[in-house]
Amino acid sequence: MSINTDNSDFSLPENEPEGIDTSQPTGWGSDYPLDAVFVRSEQRTVVEVVKRINAKRYQLDPEFQRDFVWPVTNQSRLIESCIMRIPLPVFYVAESPDGRIAVVDGLQRLTSFHRFLNGDFALVLKTGEDQPHHPLDGKKFDDLPIQLQERIEDTQLTLYILDVKAPERAKLDIFERVNSGSPLTRQQMRNCLFNGPATQWLKNAAGSPEFLSTSGRSLQPKTMRDREAINRFCAFYLLGESSYRNGDMDEFLARALKHMNENADELDQLSIKFTHSMQANKWLFKGHAFRKSLAGNSEFNSRSVLNIALFDVFSVLLADFDVQSIKEHADELRDAARRLIGEPSFNHSITYSTNSKRQVYTRFDMARNAIEEVFL
């Protein structure tokens, strides 16, 4: 017997969810030395980098960055700059544990080189009828004279490489400082640095009908806020809140992704638990799942925004109770949840400084005790 979810109440994304603590632990120099060297500089030619891209050593995956958006005119100007021997800005990349290279800053330029050397577009260097003819306009790489082909291939690129051994928060801090495009969220950065079975699992979970129905589609996929919430479920479920330390949510979520990548054989079972939890929360709390409005006495009350800290506890703590037990104690579980929301200390723990160790422990301890009392 399963707990059915109602997929009919899908809604558009709401305001930013509550219960998110965007503050970071004390800055540079506390968790890692101020003068530590996490970035090294290396020179590569365009042809060397394109060769590595073709060999899948470089990750040019718009799924974890952004869709490739440069128009052909911009790509053409980049190629023209190489032919004119104009020095190019530096590139920032990061080493992944599996040896691949993730592009931190320079995705548009590296993708342009890859596309042009592979013959994917012709140069557009004349943009108006009144402009004089450009000798390279309309030419693909193979159409260029050999000396110009070699000039492009031999163009020197300066790469700043983020060391794989850098502390997780140092990686995110550096990533955040150097990215020159539209700002990436911390979850998008993690998706880049831990690209593999774990990030694919998060993507699949975020697109599952059970998660979409229970969350009401209220977490933004574009900024990966949906995957961040699920990443938190994975961290607290797999590692346990007792392993959460120093109030560093970034480190905790990164540790979970690393664990998932190293234990990919566990992910099918994790999917079963996550799906069951989403169904249970939906069945119990209807459209108020993971929202403070679940404390109301009617499912027809106006619902509040999704609370990420509430998602932490109820997604994790209901994952291991079987369907029959949940159905038999449904009313008691709903009452317990309502009482929790009304408890000042619990409410405070899901509202303020939610990443602090004290608040995490408080909400898990109180919620676990309340749920276990129901099943005594």
Side-chain angles (χ1 to χ4, degrees):
M1 180 169 59
S2 64
I3 297 176
N4 293 322
T5 58
D6 177 11
N7 295 328
S8 64
D9 67 341
F10 285 0
S11 59
L12 295 174
E14 301 167 350
N15 295 328
E16 185 74 358
E18 68 173 349
I20 295 178
D21 187 349
T22 58
S23 63
Q24 300 298 328
T26 307
W28 198 298
S30 58
D31 288 358
Y32 45 90
L34 185 63
D35 59 353
V37 178
F38 299 128
V39 180
R40 68 180 186 275
S41 173
E42 292 186 5
Q43 296 289 124
R44 294 274 190 274
T45 63
V46 166
V47 72
E48 288 173 334
V49 172
V50 170
K51 179 180 178 181
R52 285 170 168 80
I53 293 172
N54 287 332
K56 313 243 181 251
R57 286 271 286 112
Y58 278 63
Q59 298 172 229
L60 295 186
D61 183 359
E63 197 275 322
F64 65 74
Q65 277 270 21
R66 290 164 298 278
D67 291 338
F68 184 71
V69 295
W70 261 17
V72 172
T73 51
N74 288 45
Q75 298 177 64
S76 300
R77 292 298 182 188
L78 175 68
I79 302 303
E80 184 186 36
S81 295
C82 296
I83 293 172
M84 297 171 66
R85 298 191 176 95
I86 296 174
L88 302 178
V90 300
F91 296 78
Y92 285 89
V93 299
E95 292 178 324
S96 298
D98 62 4
R100 290 184 296 167
I101 300 295
V103 180
V104 176
D105 190 61
L107 175 71
Q108 308 287 338
R109 288 172 286 152
L110 291 184
T111 303
S112 297
F113 287 134
H114 180 243
R115 295 187 70 240
F116 188 66
L117 267 63
N118 285 346
D120 292 338
F121 72 94
L123 296 174
V124 177
L125 295 168
K126 180 182 178 182
T127 57
E129 289 294 329
D130 297 332
Q131 289 185 344
H133 174 70
H134 194 293
L136 302 182
D137 188 60
K139 294 187 181 296
K140 292 190 173 183
F141 179 75
D142 288 342
D143 300 326
L144 298 177
I146 186 66
Q147 67 270 25
L148 294 187
Q149 291 182 5
E150 291 178 344
R151 191 177 297 178
I152 296 168
E153 291 177 329
D154 294 342
T155 296
Q156 292 287 317
L157 306 179
T158 300
L159 275 64
Y160 284 102
I161 303 174
L162 177 58
D163 196 282
V164 68
K165 296 179 181 178
E168 299 306 337
R169 196 166 67 81
K171 291 178 182 178
L172 295 183
D173 287 345
I174 294 169
F175 206 147
E176 196 168 47
R177 289 165 186 253
V178 304
N179 192 270
S180 63
S182 56
L184 297 177
T185 66
R186 306 291 272 195
Q187 190 65 30
Q188 287 172 322
M189 298 177 203
R190 277 187 287 273
N191 209 57
C192 170
L193 295 171
F194 293 93
N195 192 254
T199 54
Q200 185 59 49
W201 189 94
L202 291 183
K203 179 181 180 181
N204 293 340
S208 68
E210 294 82 8
F211 173 74
L212 292 172
S213 177
T214 309
S215 67
R217 291 182 179 262
S218 58
L219 295 172
Q220 284 282 358
K222 185 176 181 181
T223 59
M224 295 193 180
R225 187 64 86 187
D226 52 352
R227 300 191 206 186
E228 180 181 354
I230 299 170
N231 195 164
R232 291 169 72 115
F233 162 82
C234 296
F236 285 115
Y237 185 82
L238 293 173
L239 307 179
E241 77 271 13
S242 61
S243 69
Y244 182 71
R245 50 183 180 265
N246 302 328
D248 192 341
M249 187 62 71
D250 281 332
E251 185 276 337
F252 191 55
L253 298 186
R255 192 149 39 99
L257 294 177
K258 182 178 180 182
H259 175 90
M260 293 166 70
N261 279 335
E262 293 173 351
N263 298 275
D265 57 321
E266 299 177 0
L267 298 183
D268 285 345
Q269 183 62 27
L270 184 63
S271 293
I272 293 171
K273 293 294 186 180
F274 180 71
T275 298
H276 168 68
S277 176
M278 293 301 103
Q279 291 176 325
N281 276 279
K282 175 69 174 183
W283 189 79
L284 284 169
F285 307 119
K286 306 297 188 291
H288 299 283
F290 313 127
R291 302 163 194 268
K292 289 182 181 178
S293 55
L294 63 80
N297 293 320
S298 169
E299 65 179 277
F300 302 106
N301 292 343
S302 60
R303 68 180 188 178
S304 55
V305 297
L306 191 144
N307 182 287
I308 293 295
L310 206 53
F311 183 92
D312 291 346
V313 292
F314 279 111
S315 66
V316 170
L317 297 180
L318 290 179
D320 286 328
F321 288 100
D322 64 84
V323 170
Q324 191 59 37
S325 296
I326 291 173
K327 287 194 169 185
E328 288 176 356
H329 297 86
D331 289 338
E332 297 163 89
L333 286 169
R334 293 185 187 108
D335 288 341
R338 293 186 185 107
R339 288 194 299 271
L340 273 174
I341 300 297
E343 286 281 348
S345 55
F346 182 82
N347 201 299
H348 190 275
S349 75
I350 62 171
T351 307
Y352 306 103
S353 301
T354 55
N355 284 354
S356 76
K357 181 177 176 180
R358 181 175 63 84
Q359 297 288 64
V360 167
Y361 281 30
T362 294
R363 64 176 176 264
F364 269 95
D365 286 344
M366 292 186 70
R368 182 175 285 107
N369 290 337
I371 291 174
E372 287 179 351
E373 284 179 8
V374 169
F375 292 101
L376 287 180

